[in-house]
Amino acid sequence: MQDHARAGGTTGRKPGPPGHGDADAASGTERSGIERELRRRIEADGFPGGRLPPERVLAEELGVGRRALREALSVLEGEGRIWRRQGLGTFAGAPPAPVEPQMPRADALGRLASPVAVMEARLAVEPVAARLAAMRATQPQLDQLARAAGRTFGARSAQDYEDLDSHFHRTIAEVAGNVLLLSMLDLLSRVRREARWGQMRAASFSPGRLERLGAEHTAILEAITDRDPARAEAEMRRHLRAVAVRLVGMDPLPLLLPPEGGEG
């Protein structure tokens, strides 16, 4: 009997229901028929709300296997007649345009972001900018940066210093030559114009602190001028950590580091 079954080319099994075994394999003719029927229904608005039934239900309605149905659906998706979304289902027509997330305005971010969050962001952006500046600065740019650093020593008020300080840091980002880093720094600078930052700067401003800040700027400038990327990055990080301690009373850097023993 076994030899007879092999000779006859059959396993002796009865065809299974749609969606199972060899009966689910799609021939070109079968798939084309499914495609035509689906196109007809789509054009006739035959799916309530534009949503197609689940594959199992639709296969039973059409009397076809699920594999054949899936292949036909893939063809229609390629034609732009349907779209599918995991967890939502299959829909007739073109997919909806993606909704771009809206970035909060800088003034709103200034109210939402804590001073610690701002310093964390600066620590993530500005040391990298200083490293790149040390690698890419031209001599005219170094001269411009030296002038910007020197002007901070002449600040007469907290607001005056803030303007000169922002110019120095922005010049570094410009010299870094990365438009995305520069854009992020500009956003952070706008956030820092929020009222509470002005109050914090005024409370921490003094001639003695002005000298210390100027010395920190000079250390950053010298590292960039010496074209020492690692030192420029380290000096910028040291400066920002000191600023954070003066303004918010804490060093945010440990929050940005992986736990001891590795990142995993």
Side-chain angles (χ1 to χ4, degrees):
M1 291 295 292
Q2 292 177 347
D3 292 340
H4 175 72
R6 282 195 294 270
T10 177
T11 62
R13 291 183 300 169
K14 294 181 180 180
H20 297 274
D22 294 336
D24 200 25
S27 69
T29 302
E30 180 184 18
R31 192 185 68 193
S32 296
I34 299 170
E35 293 168 16
R36 284 194 299 272
E37 175 60 18
L38 290 175
R39 290 191 191 98
R40 184 191 68 77
R41 292 195 185 189
I42 291 171
E43 292 169 0
D45 293 328
F47 296 109
R51 183 171 184 170
L52 279 65
E55 283 186 5
R56 177 184 58 79
V57 175
L58 188 56
E60 291 176 356
E61 287 182 6
L62 299 175
V64 299
R66 291 176 65 179
R67 178 178 173 182
L69 175 62
R70 281 194 292 269
E71 291 178 358
L73 289 172
S74 294
V75 172
L76 267 63
E77 185 176 19
E79 295 175 353
R81 295 177 183 269
I82 64 169
W83 61 278
R84 292 184 271 194
R85 185 70 51 82
Q86 183 71 30
L88 292 179
T90 303
F91 300 85
V99 178
E100 294 292 335
Q102 296 296 313
M103 174 67 73
R105 289 173 43 178
D107 55 351
L109 285 174
R111 293 189 296 271
L112 294 171
S114 69
V116 173
V118 173
M119 294 309 302
E120 287 173 349
R122 292 188 68 185
L123 276 163
V125 172
E126 295 194 55
V128 177
R131 169 182 279 274
L132 292 175
M135 297 168 62
R136 297 173 176 172
T138 64
Q139 188 56 51
Q141 288 175 325
L142 291 175
D143 295 340
Q144 179 186 9
L145 190 57
R147 289 192 295 271
R151 292 191 189 104
T152 62
F153 285 96
R156 298 180 179 180
S157 67
Q159 185 58 57
D160 192 21
Y161 175 79
E162 177 65 18
D163 293 340
L164 295 170
D165 175 71
S166 294
H167 177 65
F168 172 70
H169 284 267
R170 192 180 196 281
T171 302
I172 292 174
E174 289 175 348
V175 174
N178 186 306
V179 67
L180 293 178
L181 287 176
L182 181 59
S183 297
M184 287 187 278
L185 182 61
D186 282 343
L187 175 60
L188 289 169
S189 295
R190 291 196 296 273
V191 169
R192 288 163 56 205
R193 295 192 189 115
E194 201 265 342
R196 60 179 161 170
W197 278 95
Q199 297 166 0
M200 293 168 62
R201 286 191 299 269
S204 65
F205 183 79
S206 69
R209 285 188 174 177
L210 184 62
E211 288 296 321
R212 286 195 295 273
L213 290 166
E216 292 165 11
H217 284 174
T218 299
I220 297 168
L221 171 65
E222 289 176 349
I224 294 174
T225 302
D226 291 344
R227 304 192 183 281
D228 188 334
R231 182 156 60 95
E233 181 176 358
E235 292 294 349
M236 178 63 80
R237 185 173 291 112
R238 185 176 295 111
H239 167 58
L240 293 175
R241 293 175 71 182
V243 169
V245 170
R246 294 179 193 121
L247 287 179
V248 301
M250 68 168 290
D251 178 3
L253 184 62
L255 302 177
L256 304 177
L257 298 176
E260 292 186 7
E263 299 182 5

